[in-house]
Amino acid sequence: MEQIDSFNVDHDRLKPGIYVSRKDQLGSETITSFDIRLKLANREPAMDIQAMHTMEHLGATYLRNSEKWGSRTVYFGPMGCRTGFYVIFHGDYKSEDIIELTKELFQFMANFKDEIPGAKRIECGYSLSHDLPMANFESKRFYDNVLSNLSDENLNYPI
């Protein structure tokens, strides 16, 4: 079986950041998948599942309600390794195209204090698995430590 592209990224050299994970063609349309990497792979603890679940709810809600990006948002969700999120947009983009959006998204999640959208038992498959304070913490940490100081090594996969 052929190995998928994301397994060919050198995770020992990968920094937290915003990366184009892949681009797919659906007919004449391009879909761009981004790797929003919050943690140093294999070098720091992965994010807590409850915090990630909350961030998934907040992130998907924020993006799908964005005036500019709502209709372009296909998916926002956690990586299985719990070191970041995938976000998929309809369109052909590079990492630089979503820097401001990503900053806005993580500021929103860092400062969110209301009821978590879609977290009621009737709305969510595991409504007990949420942690808003930790979601706030992880979002602020990523914003302060990475998004505020982006460089080329945070926007392009290591070669």
Side-chain angles (χ1 to χ4, degrees):
M1 202 177 316
E2 192 173 320
Q3 186 156 291
I4 63 172
D5 290 342
S6 63
F7 295 157
N8 291 316
V9 173
D10 184 345
H11 286 70
D12 286 338
R13 296 178 49 220
L14 184 63
K15 307 267 188 211
I18 305 167
Y19 303 96
V20 172
S21 177
R22 61 183 290 152
K23 293 186 183 190
D24 294 291
Q25 290 300 127
L26 300 174
S28 63
E29 304 294 323
T30 301
I31 303 294
T32 306
S33 300
F34 288 95
D35 168 340
I36 309 295
R37 187 70 58 150
L38 279 72
K39 300 285 187 169
L40 288 166
N42 303 308
R43 289 167 281 168
E44 65 180 309
M47 281 182 281
D48 176 75
I49 286 179
Q50 293 175 321
M52 286 194 86
H53 188 198
T54 300
M55 292 169 77
E56 174 193 15
H57 280 238
L58 295 175
T61 299
Y62 182 85
L63 291 170
R64 290 192 178 115
N65 280 281
S66 167
E67 188 173 313
K68 179 178 178 182
W69 291 93
S71 63
R72 302 175 198 187
T73 301
V74 175
Y75 174 78
F76 178 83
M79 294 177 178
C81 61
R82 299 180 6 234
T83 60
F85 294 87
Y86 285 114
V87 61
I88 303 171
F89 292 115
H90 179 259
D92 188 356
Y93 302 106
K94 56 188 185 292
S95 297
E96 293 82 359
D97 295 331
I98 67 161
I99 289 172
E100 288 309 310
L101 173 65
T102 305
K103 286 180 176 181
E104 293 167 10
L105 170 62
F106 279 85
Q107 280 183 320
F108 170 78
M109 292 192 294
N111 297 318
F112 191 86
K113 302 295 183 218
D114 296 327
E115 184 176 317
I116 301 164
K120 293 181 180 136
R121 181 182 172 89
I122 196 168
E123 301 166 329
C124 179
Y126 192 23
S127 62
L128 298 175
S129 179
H130 284 280
D131 186 342
L132 182 58
M134 200 63 192
N136 296 146
F137 172 82
E138 291 287 5
S139 299
K140 181 174 179 2
R141 179 181 179 272
F142 182 62
Y143 184 88
D144 291 347
N145 295 342
V146 179
L147 296 177
S148 296
N149 304 298
L150 288 170
S151 68
D152 187 63
E153 69 181 357
N154 306 106
L155 299 171
N156 296 290
Y157 279 140
I159 297 175

